[in-house]
Amino acid sequence: MPHIRIVLVEPLYEGNVGFAARVMKNFGFTDMVLINPCTIGNEAKIRASHADDVLLNATTMTLDEVFATSHRVVATTGSLSYSACHPTRMPFYSPKELRHLIGDLEGTISILFGRENWGLSNEEVRRADIICTIPTSPIYPIINLSHAVGVICYELANLPKAEIPLATVEEMDHLYDHIDEYLDLVDHPGFKRESTMTLIRRVLGRCNLTWRECSTIHGLLRRSEWHIIPSDNENRVRSSEDEELEHNDKL
């Protein structure tokens, strides 16, 4: 199964942090990450009950550190986009669908939970690979932070042994950078850049690429670049072959 990290982004109430630790342990998860949290004191320990070890071992990180050390990042949100013209918070998946998306993967999956008062920002959501939402009733759609953690952990409990090794964080970032440079090459309109890159991240994020698939996409982009800018092809081919050999040597 993938390694699941529960990431609480700027939680406001220590009681919720304690309850989140408790429900995590209920379903077998122990890796809690806190980003700029409230003070964690006795109330959190009392709410955690017999999961005080999860609370004690919680790691404090920045959001950038979470992204840098995760193979995939899932943003949980109750505020959704329902139009393809606004890709920041779509496409979105239920917790049960999330299980099928990541269940066979090998790597670290970080699941972000936002602040109790206003959740995750658009920028935080935009950086994520996958969007997940809990299908609550419109009668009262707002769910408590620890309850949201519980629903996700319940659906992801007892995942089977992982079968697919994911591309690393560095490999995916390299691919996104290459695509971004390619958009410059083909004169993609600047005002569309942010939404286009968000859509690309959404598509590739749920494809769960291996390093070999990343390498193949790089190769296709390079082949296209050679035809757009045919000069210096010999050096480009040599550079591509050297990079491929270097990657294979690492395996």
Side-chain angles (χ1 to χ4, degrees):
M1 62 181 291
H3 176 70
I4 304 295
R5 278 198 312 205
I6 300 300
V7 182
L8 307 186
V9 180
E10 299 185 350
L12 300 175
Y13 309 113
E14 61 172 306
N16 280 337
V17 178
F19 278 134
R22 179 173 179 169
V23 77
M24 284 173 60
K25 193 169 183 179
N26 285 151
F27 296 107
F29 300 105
T30 59
D31 192 350
M32 171 183 278
V33 173
L34 303 175
I35 297 177
N36 191 26
C38 56
T39 300
I40 306 299
N42 288 333
E43 183 181 355
K45 295 177 182 177
I46 292 170
R47 302 306 181 196
S49 188
H50 295 294
D52 55 348
D53 56 326
V54 176
L55 198 62
L56 180 64
N57 294 318
T59 305
T60 300
M61 303 175 71
T62 66
L63 189 64
D64 286 342
E65 288 172 335
V66 169
F67 275 91
T69 55
S70 305
H71 288 84
R72 295 292 180 274
V73 175
V74 179
T76 61
T77 178
S79 177
L80 302 169
S81 301
Y82 290 96
S83 168
C85 296
H86 302 281
T88 300
R89 296 176 183 266
M90 73 171 298
F92 46 85
Y93 299 88
S94 70
K96 184 172 293 186
E97 291 171 323
L98 178 63
R99 179 185 179 92
H100 295 297
L101 277 175
I102 68 174
D104 294 332
L105 307 182
E106 178 183 320
T108 297
I109 310 294
S110 292
I111 304 177
L112 306 183
F113 294 84
R115 308 152 187 85
E116 290 94 329
N117 54 353
W118 53 281
L120 296 170
S121 70
N122 280 340
E123 181 56 31
E124 291 162 347
V125 173
R126 185 177 290 110
R127 294 179 64 183
D129 302 296
I130 300 170
I131 309 301
C132 179
T133 188
I134 297 171
T136 53
S137 169
I139 298 173
Y140 189 26
I142 307 302
I143 190 169
N144 177 270
L145 172 61
S146 63
H147 294 175
V149 172
V151 172
I152 299 293
C153 288
Y154 167 78
E155 289 293 352
L156 299 183
N158 301 312
L159 288 171
K161 184 178 179 181
E163 298 178 0
I164 304 172
L166 288 172
T168 66
V169 178
E170 292 78 10
E171 286 163 344
M172 290 303 298
D173 284 344
H174 184 39
L175 179 58
Y176 292 136
D177 288 343
H178 193 172
I179 293 171
D180 197 46
E181 292 170 2
Y182 186 82
L183 293 180
D184 283 332
L185 183 63
V186 298
D187 295 326
H188 186 75
F191 71 92
K192 292 184 177 180
R193 179 63 59 88
E194 185 176 274
S195 61
T196 298
M197 289 304 301
T198 298
L199 286 168
I200 288 170
R201 183 177 288 274
R202 293 285 178 271
V203 171
L204 297 184
R206 66 178 181 268
C207 286
N208 298 322
L209 300 180
T210 65
W211 76 263
R212 180 60 185 174
E213 290 167 336
C214 276
S215 179
T216 298
I217 295 174
H218 277 300
L220 291 172
L221 290 173
R222 291 191 192 99
R223 181 67 59 181
S224 176
E225 289 165 350
W226 299 342
H227 286 282
I228 297 171
I229 306 176
S231 62
D232 202 24
N233 278 359
E234 183 178 346
N235 290 335
R236 288 172 179 267
V237 171
R238 187 179 298 114
S239 175
S240 177
E241 291 174 346
D242 290 344
E243 184 177 329
E244 183 74 14
L245 288 171
E246 181 181 353
H247 202 142
N248 288 337
D249 287 342
K250 294 178 181 179
L251 300 180

